[in-house]
Amino acid sequence: MSCFHHLRLIGAPLNPMECENWKSLLNIHILKGTRPERIKCILYGRLITITMMTLIASYASWYAEDYLQRELSIPKLINWLKRQGRFAQAMHVGTLETLFNDLRRALPKVLCKQKRKRQTSRQLLADYGYYMEGALAA
């Protein structure tokens, strides 16, 4: 039985395309154990982790966009949070303020996408939205 099937059984509304980053970066498709209670516990823990990392990613994305005029790389952020147990330690010890300070320092050097001449994903979506508004009005 696949991980997505278990997530749907516990009532998580999922779009498989949105889960691919999380699946590969956090290994949510690897489950150790056969007892349903253990599998549900593991999945709930991973869903909580994804929720907390999503909150951190939304803050980092906002900070990068507003203060640095750059675009955040979600895979780089997730790997940075996993490296050296940063995320786990901040959750366990309760040092989120330190985590956010380190995050702000690392954003311009490590966590943003490389500067490029082509448009960012947000710019492309904004342009696509304006195009769709004209098409819907007709």
Side-chain angles (χ1 to χ4, degrees):
M1 189 176 290
S2 75
C3 178
F4 291 118
H5 183 73
H6 284 293
L7 289 172
R8 289 177 203 255
L9 285 177
I10 62 174
L14 293 174
N15 177 356
M17 294 305 288
E18 294 172 1
C19 293
E20 287 304 315
N21 266 346
W22 298 108
K23 178 183 172 189
S24 62
L25 293 170
L26 295 177
N27 296 323
I28 64 171
H29 60 289
I30 298 172
L31 300 173
K32 295 180 181 177
T34 56
R35 295 185 52 196
E37 296 84 11
R38 179 173 170 81
I39 291 173
K40 285 181 182 178
C41 184
I42 290 169
L43 288 175
Y44 281 127
R46 290 181 184 169
L47 288 173
I48 291 168
T49 300
I50 289 171
T51 303
M52 294 300 293
M53 283 189 170
T54 301
L55 292 172
I56 292 169
S58 67
Y59 170 77
S61 179
W62 166 80
Y63 187 86
E65 182 77 24
D66 281 5
Y67 289 99
L68 306 172
Q69 284 73 43
R70 297 195 47 203
E71 190 175 7
L72 175 72
S73 171
I74 298 291
K76 286 181 181 180
L77 174 66
I78 293 170
N79 288 328
W80 181 83
L81 287 169
K82 288 175 22 180
R83 200 174 306 129
Q84 299 173 356
R86 282 185 181 100
F87 178 74
Q89 184 177 356
M91 290 295 123
H92 182 69
V93 179
T95 56
L96 283 175
E97 186 174 344
T98 304
L99 178 73
F100 281 102
N101 289 335
D102 293 343
L103 175 67
R104 283 189 292 272
R105 276 193 297 273
L107 263 170
K109 301 175 218 163
V110 180
L111 303 176
C112 288
K113 291 183 179 178
Q114 296 296 319
K115 290 186 179 181
R116 55 189 180 183
K117 293 182 181 177
R118 62 186 176 138
Q119 291 182 320
T120 64
S121 300
R122 286 187 180 197
Q123 291 168 336
L124 290 171
L125 285 173
D127 291 346
Y128 183 73
Y130 297 133
Y131 170 75
M132 289 304 293
E133 286 177 7
L136 293 174

